[in-house]
Amino acid sequence: MTNQNNESNTGNIYRTHRVLILGCGYIGIDTALRLSESGNVVKIMDIDSESFSRIPKDRIDSNRIEPILGDGVFEDDLRRAVRQKIDIFIAATGITSVNITAAQLATHIIKIPKVICLVDDEDIEEIYSQIGVQILNRRKLTVEHILIDSMEQK
């Protein structure tokens, strides 16, 4: 007897995403490394070329992470970074105003399908989530993880 529903026999099929991360600090680097490990094509943009020294050389040499010198609040720099189509943009600098500005450019001008923006201010979080930008509040994420980890049974 054959199974009528072939979909239940196959796992989910995921395609490689093309991701641009703004900010080559700890969050940006860690995100880039994890995304590249899972087979995604990752570009990471920063205004400080020295910040790229934290990217493992083998990731750059194998084209798994491409460093791009530029400022995400300038449309020309973002357009240069997205010459090839980008599926996901992550604004992860340590400066909320930079993240918000870049996220708005990526969403409304460049039309990147999925935009994620890290912020520190709850008021900003509410305002910008209403205009199509996916907002992640750093403080809330940290507290949530602390609560989950502290309540976990060992």
Side-chain angles (χ1 to χ4, degrees):
M1 183 171 183
T2 61
N3 185 346
Q4 301 278 330
N5 187 356
N6 285 339
E7 290 177 23
S8 65
N9 291 334
T10 60
N12 290 333
I13 298 172
Y14 297 100
R15 73 171 180 83
T16 299
H17 289 98
R18 294 169 301 261
V19 183
L20 173 60
I21 299 170
L22 177 63
C24 199
Y26 294 111
I27 292 175
I29 287 283
D30 287 348
T31 303
L33 291 172
R34 302 269 310 266
L35 287 170
S36 72
E37 285 169 4
S38 60
N40 295 289
V41 176
V42 179
K43 296 180 179 186
I44 189 163
M45 176 184 271
D46 203 286
I47 58 172
D48 180 11
S49 61
E50 286 295 310
S51 65
F52 300 133
S53 66
R54 294 190 292 251
I55 303 170
K57 188 170 175 7
D58 66 312
R59 299 290 173 96
I60 294 172
D61 291 345
S62 65
N63 293 321
R64 292 171 67 192
I65 298 177
E66 178 187 345
I68 298 172
L69 188 61
D71 191 334
V73 299
F74 294 121
E75 182 180 347
D76 289 345
D77 285 357
L78 276 180
R79 287 199 185 279
R80 182 173 40 85
V82 299
R83 276 178 285 185
Q84 293 84 25
K85 184 174 171 15
I86 295 291
D87 303 304
I88 303 167
F89 176 76
I90 301 169
T93 74
I95 304 168
T96 295
S97 60
V98 168
N99 292 347
I100 287 292
T101 303
Q104 289 181 85
L105 280 171
T107 300
H108 301 294
I109 305 296
I110 299 176
K111 308 283 189 206
I112 296 172
K114 183 171 191 163
V115 175
I116 299 169
C117 178
L118 295 179
V119 300
D120 296 316
D121 185 332
E122 285 186 43
D123 294 332
I124 288 175
E125 177 185 4
E126 188 173 319
I127 292 167
Y128 285 96
S129 63
Q130 293 175 9
I131 62 168
V133 176
Q134 183 178 345
I135 301 293
L136 297 177
N137 184 305
R138 274 185 253 258
R139 185 183 56 77
K140 283 183 180 177
L141 290 172
T142 302
V143 169
E144 190 174 308
H145 282 279
I146 290 170
L147 291 172
I148 290 168
D149 288 350
S150 65
M151 295 295 124
E152 202 172 76
Q153 297 292 326
K154 295 219 176 199

